[in-house]
Amino acid sequence: MTEPNVTPQEFNRLKEQLTASLIQILVEEHGYSLEDALDRVYTSPIFEKLSDPNTGLFFQSPRYVLSYII
């Protein structure tokens, strides 16, 4: 995949927003505790891919990314 056309600051902001959305959905819609949701997201193999701007995963919807976590 080619490098995305975003600055490192934009990438970090988008990644943080997506991560927050993933955690919120796990808590509000799937009944996870905040601690469990944080653990589930940050220790998932998909989070490593989300942290790589070259995957473009940070451009995807939270529900799409979440489908790989749960």
Side-chain angles (χ1 to χ4, degrees):
M1 180 169 257
T2 62
E3 240 179 87
N5 192 19
V6 295
T7 67
Q9 295 80 12
E10 290 170 326
F11 167 73
N12 284 330
R13 184 177 47 79
L14 291 167
K15 183 180 99 171
E16 289 171 6
Q17 288 174 343
L18 179 56
T19 302
S21 294
L22 295 171
I23 293 165
Q24 182 179 7
I25 292 169
L26 285 173
V27 169
E28 293 178 358
E29 297 179 19
H30 294 275
Y32 282 71
S33 68
L34 179 57
E35 183 178 309
D36 287 343
L38 288 165
D39 184 59
R40 185 71 182 229
V41 170
Y42 285 110
T43 62
S44 69
I46 202 72
F47 187 74
E48 185 176 331
K49 292 180 183 353
L50 178 61
S51 298
D52 179 358
N54 293 318
T55 66
L57 197 56
F58 63 96
F59 279 130
Q60 301 300 319
S61 75
R63 294 189 192 286
Y64 174 80
V65 175
L66 192 62
S67 71
Y68 288 98
I69 293 175
I70 56 175

